[in-house]
Amino acid sequence: MTLRNLRVLLALPLLTAGASEPGASASDWTARPHGPTYATAPAMHDTVERRLMPQMEALLTQLLRDKRNMRLGGVEVFKSGDKFLPGKIAAAMSYRVLDLPKGDPRLPQRLKDFATIADLTVGDPNDTWGIYYYVSALHRLKQAGLLEEAVSPATLALLKARLDWHRFVRPDLSLIDLPNNYYGVAFSIARLRFLMGWEDEKGSDRLLERTLDHYRRYSGEYGFADETEGKGRFDRYSVLLIGEIAQRLVETGMAPTPEVRGWLRRSVDLMLPRFNMRGEGWEYGRSIGTYGETAFLEVLTAAARLKVLTPTEERMAYAFSSRIAARYMDFWVDPATGSVDLWDQGRRTDAYRGKHRIFGENLSLARQYIYTDAIWSDLGYRGRAPDAGYERWLKTLPKSTTTWFARGEHDRAVVTIRDGSTVIGLPIINGAEGQHMHNPYFPVPFSPGMLQGSADADYPLLLPRITLTDGSVLMPLAWFKDVRVTTRGPVTDVTWRQDALDRMGGEDATKDPRATIVTKYRLAHGSISRTDFLTVKGTAKIARIDMAFASFSSVPVARSEGAVTFGTGEVKRLQTKGYGKCTAKDVASQPYRSTTGAFRSLVECGVAMAVPSASAELNWRLSYNY
C-alpha cells in the first residue's frame, strides 16, 4: 500500500464523522481541540480492520524495507533511545502474522519477516514494558503453533535469557527505581515465562501477591491504587491498573478473584460518568491524550469480559469504545504522515512519551485497539453498530459524582460534573515526586477540549502562586483536609482546607506550615468559581500573588483590572478578585500547549503587595458555554 493510498483511507471516514463540524482539515486540528462528535459511529471492528490494520501494515512494511535506517516524523527510530521498542515491534509483527487466516499464502513470508526483525533487534535495549510486549508476542505465536517458524533457535535462546523480570526487580521483590504499577508488568512477564516453560510458577505467584498487597495497603476501602507509597497520587493509572491486572490474569489463564472484580467495578463506576459523544478520555495527570482514551478501552473490555457490567452498561461501553476507536483514526493519526501525532499541530505530551518514541507509540497504541477489539468480537459485537440509544442514555448519568480515593490524615478524591455535554473533573490529589509542581496535577477543573493543563509545565494554572518576603514560593497543591462535597440541584459546592502549603523548588511536595488556606469551589450551570482564604503565620508575609489561565478561547479583551472576556471559544469570561491586574494576549508558543492542541490565549494576573500582608482573599469565576 502506498502512502498516498493510505492517506486517502485514513482521511475519508472523517468526512462523515466530522461533517457537522466544518472548519479544519483532517491534518489540522488546532481550531478543534475536541475533535469530531459522533452522532453515530462505525463498528469498532470496522475501524480496526479497515483503517488501523492498514496503517500499522504500512509502518511495518517501511520497517522491513529500511530496517535500521528507518525514519518516522524526522526521528531515526533505532537511534531514538526507546527502550521498549523491540517488544513493541514484536507485538505488532505477531498481530501481522496472526491476522491472517489459516492457509493464507502470505503466511510463510510473514513468518520469515518476523524472524528477520527478531534477529535484527535481539541485541537492542528492551526494558520492562518492552519485555512484556515481546514475551506476550512469543506466547501468542506458541499458542498458534507458529513459534518455531517465526524465531530461529539461536535467537529464541537469547530472548529466553533476556526477557526476564529480574532485570528490574530485586531479589527481595522491590522495584528498581520504578513506580508501583510496574509490579503488574513484572507479574505478567513472570506468568508468561511460566507458560512458555521458561521458569516455574513461584515468581509470578509472589509478584501477583505483591501487586495485590500494594492495592490493599494504599487503596484501603476505596479500591484505587496510589502510584506512590501512600503520598496520594491518584491519576489515570490508578484507575487503569486494575483493568491491566484483570486483562493479564485472563491472558495467562488465571481467574480474577472477587477482590479484583470488586476493584474493577470501582474503576467502571468512576469512568461511566465520563462517557461522551466524542470518545474523549481521561482529563488530568500525565500520559493522557490518546492514552487517556485507551485507559477506558482496557478497563471497559476487562469489565465486559468478566461480566461486571449490567447488560445496558455493556452496550454503552461498546458504544463508547467504538467512538474511542474512530477518534483514534480521525483525530490522532495524521493522514499526511500515516503516524499517530502526540507532538505536533500544537500538541504537547510529557517527556516520558517524547517524540523520540514515535514509532513505538504507533505500535503500542495499535496493540491496545487490536486486542480490545478482539474481546468485543468474542463477546458478539464484531461488526455490530453501536447502540442507537447511546446519546439518550448519556442524559441519564448523574450530574455530580464524588469518587473517594483516600480519607484520613489527608483526603483524596475527584469530583465529576456533567453539565449538558460538558464533562468536568476536579481532582483533589497530590502529584507527589516529579509531578506535584506540574499543572496537570493541580486541584483545578479539567475538561477535555475546554480546560486542560500543559504536560510537564509549572505555570500557575488557575491557582495562586504565593511569594513570601523571604523569597519562598508556595502553592496550595498537596495537603487537603476535611474535603466536603454538597450538591443542590445543578450546583455543587466543594470545600477543603490545607494546614500547610507546598513549597516550590523541590522534586517532591514539601510542607510549609507558615501558610494555611481554606478553599471553596462552586460548580454550576455554565460557570465555575473558586474562593481562597489565605493566611500566613509568624514573621512570614505575602509579597506577591500570581495566577494564569491558558485557554483554547481567543480574542481576549481585558474589560477591567481583573476581568477578561473572549470573543470566540467555549470559555467566555474570567473574572478575578484579589489577583490584581490581569493582562491578556494571544499565544501560540511553548509551554502553552495541551495534549489535544495549542492554547490560543493567555491571561496572567498578579499583584505585588505595597505593604507585605499576612492574609488575602482571592476569587475567580469562569463562565463557559455548556
Side-chain angles (χ1 to χ4, degrees):
M1 175 179 291
T2 66
L3 180 57
R4 180 180 181 277
N5 289 339
L6 180 62
R7 288 173 181 168
V8 172
L9 184 63
L10 294 177
L12 275 177
L14 178 65
L15 299 177
T16 298
S20 62
E21 299 180 20
S25 70
S27 60
D28 183 0
W29 290 98
T30 56
R32 298 171 60 188
H34 279 297
T37 297
Y38 297 96
T40 60
M44 184 176 180
H45 184 71
D46 290 350
T47 298
V48 170
E49 190 65 23
R50 299 176 187 176
R51 302 185 66 196
L52 186 145
M53 292 299 289
Q55 183 249 349
M56 187 176 73
E57 173 65 16
L59 292 173
L60 294 178
T61 298
Q62 182 183 354
L63 169 66
L64 289 163
R65 183 189 68 227
D66 298 342
K67 297 185 174 63
R68 290 202 175 275
N69 295 320
M70 182 178 177
R71 297 175 66 92
L72 186 63
V75 174
E76 296 180 81
V77 300
F78 283 102
K79 297 180 181 179
S80 66
D82 183 348
K83 295 182 180 181
F84 305 156
L85 187 57
K88 292 178 178 180
I89 292 172
M93 293 291 287
S94 72
Y95 285 117
R96 184 174 181 264
V97 169
L98 298 173
D99 188 52
L100 297 179
K102 291 182 179 180
D104 191 293
R106 294 170 292 176
L107 182 58
Q109 183 59 52
R110 291 197 178 184
L111 289 166
K112 291 179 182 178
D113 292 342
F114 191 103
T116 296
I117 299 302
D119 292 345
L120 179 74
T121 63
V122 67
D124 292 353
N126 186 41
D127 296 342
T128 59
W129 275 107
I131 296 173
Y132 163 69
Y133 290 137
Y134 213 130
V135 71
S136 179
L138 297 180
H139 180 244
R140 285 193 299 274
L141 291 170
K142 181 179 180 179
Q143 286 182 309
L146 298 171
L147 181 61
E148 288 72 19
E149 297 176 71
V151 187
S152 70
T155 296
L156 187 60
L158 288 172
L159 291 171
K160 179 181 177 180
R162 294 177 179 179
L163 301 178
D164 195 337
W165 54 274
H166 291 91
R167 290 174 51 187
F168 59 97
V169 181
R170 298 184 182 94
D172 66 356
L173 293 192
S174 62
L175 294 167
I176 302 174
D177 300 325
L178 291 168
N180 287 300
N181 63 66
Y182 278 83
Y183 278 120
V185 181
F187 156 73
S188 302
I189 295 167
R191 179 68 180 174
L192 287 165
R193 284 179 61 86
F194 163 68
L195 296 175
M196 293 287 291
W198 293 354
E199 64 176 74
D200 61 29
E201 278 186 286
K202 293 179 182 178
S204 60
D205 288 346
R206 293 173 66 209
L207 286 164
L208 178 60
E209 183 53 40
R210 178 61 66 93
T211 302
L212 299 182
D213 180 63
H214 175 78
Y215 243 92
R216 296 184 191 103
R217 239 187 312 167
Y218 295 113
S219 68
E221 63 183 295
Y222 299 108
F224 298 95
D226 188 345
E227 277 220 86
T228 66
E229 297 289 338
K231 295 180 180 180
R233 183 193 291 167
F234 293 93
D235 56 11
R236 173 191 69 100
Y237 226 107
S238 303
V239 182
L240 166 63
L241 182 57
I242 195 60
E244 288 188 343
I245 292 171
Q247 297 280 23
R248 301 300 89 82
L249 290 172
V250 174
E251 176 189 17
T252 58
M254 300 181 74
T257 64
E259 185 179 42
V260 169
R261 290 172 181 266
W263 288 331
L264 184 61
R265 180 66 221 192
R266 297 289 181 90
S267 287
V268 169
D269 289 339
L270 177 51
M271 287 183 165
L272 285 174
R274 286 169 164 73
F275 282 22
N276 56 77
M277 295 294 289
R278 294 177 291 270
E280 292 172 315
W282 200 251
E283 71 271 15
Y284 73 85
R286 77 188 198 281
S287 292
I288 53 174
T290 185
Y291 280 93
E293 294 156 16
T294 57
F296 280 77
L297 282 183
E298 296 202 86
V299 170
L300 294 173
T301 52
R305 177 153 64 176
L306 296 179
K307 302 301 180 186
V308 302
L309 302 177
T310 69
T312 297
E313 288 172 343
E314 181 179 300
R315 295 195 307 274
M316 300 307 143
Y318 171 71
F320 190 44
S321 297
S322 296
R323 285 168 169 81
I324 291 171
R327 174 180 172 84
Y328 179 67
M329 297 308 302
D330 289 337
F331 185 76
W332 292 107
V333 174
D334 186 348
T337 64
S339 169
V340 68
D341 180 9
L342 311 180
W343 313 274
D344 299 315
Q345 303 181 72
R347 294 170 179 171
R348 176 185 172 106
T349 191
D350 51 284
Y352 175 74
R353 297 198 189 279
K355 195 173 181 179
H356 67 286
R357 287 175 52 172
I358 182 172
F359 186 40
E361 294 302 304
N362 276 276
L363 303 181
S364 60
L365 285 163
R367 173 191 167 274
Q368 292 183 64
Y369 286 97
I370 292 167
Y371 97 78
T372 53
D373 171 59
I375 293 170
W376 286 115
S377 293
D378 289 344
L379 292 171
Y381 289 89
R382 182 185 180 100
R384 186 190 299 186
D387 194 301
Y390 175 73
E391 185 171 10
R392 293 191 302 274
W393 176 81
L394 290 180
K395 296 176 182 179
T396 69
L397 293 172
K399 306 303 181 188
S400 178
T401 306
T402 302
T403 303
W404 293 100
F405 298 135
R407 301 180 86 171
E409 180 183 3
H410 297 103
D411 293 345
R412 314 294 184 191
V414 62
V415 179
T416 306
I417 302 296
R418 296 187 67 87
D419 186 10
S421 62
T422 299
V423 179
I424 298 168
L426 175 60
I428 310 164
I429 60 169
N430 176 9
E433 185 175 2
Q435 296 293 344
H436 71 108
M437 76 296 277
H438 294 155
N439 59 47
Y441 281 88
F442 285 5
V444 300
F446 294 96
S447 182
M450 185 176 78
L451 302 171
Q452 295 183 213
S454 298
D456 294 345
D458 59 4
Y459 60 87
L461 176 67
L462 292 174
L463 277 186
R465 182 171 61 199
I466 302 127
T467 303
L468 302 183
T469 51
D470 68 355
S472 300
V473 178
L474 311 181
M475 294 188 73
L477 298 179
W479 318 109
F480 310 101
K481 292 188 174 185
D482 196 23
V483 173
R484 299 185 182 185
V485 184
T486 57
T487 298
R488 296 179 302 280
V491 177
T492 296
D493 290 323
V494 187
T495 62
W496 62 73
R497 75 177 199 275
Q498 295 183 71
D499 297 337
L501 269 60
D502 186 359
R503 186 165 64 248
M504 297 293 95
E507 181 70 5
D508 205 347
T510 302
K511 283 185 180 180
D512 193 321
R514 292 178 297 169
T516 65
I517 200 165
V518 176
T519 298
K520 177 180 179 179
Y521 272 104
R522 171 159 288 185
L523 299 103
H525 191 47
S527 72
I528 307 167
S529 66
R530 174 179 171 126
T531 301
D532 290 297
F533 299 94
L534 170 67
T535 305
V536 295
K537 298 179 288 187
T539 59
K541 292 293 185 289
I542 303 166
R544 183 176 180 85
I545 299 175
D546 294 279
M547 188 266 283
F549 175 54
S551 176
F552 296 112
S553 294
S554 61
V555 195
V557 178
R559 295 295 181 184
S560 63
E561 182 177 84
V564 175
T565 61
F566 301 92
T568 65
E570 288 179 83
V571 175
K572 292 301 183 184
R573 183 180 178 89
L574 178 66
Q575 175 77 52
T576 72
K577 181 180 179 181
Y579 285 102
K581 183 179 180 180
C582 294
T583 61
K585 62 183 179 182
D586 292 329
V587 66
S589 61
Q590 296 282 18
Y592 305 107
R593 295 180 174 181
S594 77
T595 55
T596 58
F599 293 118
R600 303 182 68 187
S601 63
L602 175 67
V603 177
E604 294 179 296
C605 306
V607 57
M609 303 298 181
V611 178
S613 174
S615 63
E617 181 177 343
L618 307 167
N619 173 269
W620 58 254
R621 184 175 184 273
L622 182 149
S623 302
Y624 62 90
N625 288 341
Y626 60 88

